[in-house]
């Protein structure tokens, strides 16, 4: 089941997501990251974002990022990382 997000590429929710609520490094292939708590990113790796230095970035509840992510680590907060 694919669902479009505001004119962007569809998110295939049937592949599942990883719930991230800790400070461990989570690796995989992720297309979409949705923050359901105010969060601070410790590190995030993306192969298709030119400046992928989000270290220390504060992300508000309800924010989302779309791209090709291979790793995410939170300093605090919580998110859902949708798998590719």
């Amino acid at each position: 089941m694919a669902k479009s997000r505001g004119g962007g590429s569809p998110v295939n929710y049937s592949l599942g997501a990883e719930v991230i609520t800790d400070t461990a490094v989570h690796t995989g292939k992720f297309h979409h990251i949705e923050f359901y708590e105010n969060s601070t990113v410790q590190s995030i790796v993306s192969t298709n974002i030119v400046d992928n230095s989000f270290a220390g970035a504060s992300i508000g509840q309800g924010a989302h990022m779309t791209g090709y992510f291979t790793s995410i680590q939170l300093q605090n907060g919580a998110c859902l990382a949708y798998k590719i």
Side-chain angles (χ1 to χ4, degrees), residues 7-84:
S9 57
V11 176
N12 188 347
Y13 292 103
S14 67
L15 296 176
E18 186 169 340
V19 178
I20 300 173
T21 60
D22 58 21
T23 58
V25 176
H26 294 262
T27 59
K29 296 178 182 177
F30 307 110
H31 170 266
H32 179 81
I33 299 173
E34 191 162 332
F35 296 87
Y36 63 90
E37 289 182 5
N38 291 334
S39 304
T40 304
V41 173
Q42 180 69 30
S43 66
I44 191 166
V45 177
S46 173
T47 61
N48 68 343
I49 296 177
V50 175
D51 181 9
N52 59 10
S53 58
F54 288 102
S58 295
I59 311 290
Q61 179 181 5
H64 64 271
M65 300 170 72
T66 302
Y68 182 80
F69 304 97
T70 57
S71 174
I72 182 168
Q73 180 181 19
L74 298 179
Q75 186 175 337
N76 59 51
C79 67
L80 291 169
Y82 291 94
K83 299 176 183 180
I84 293 176

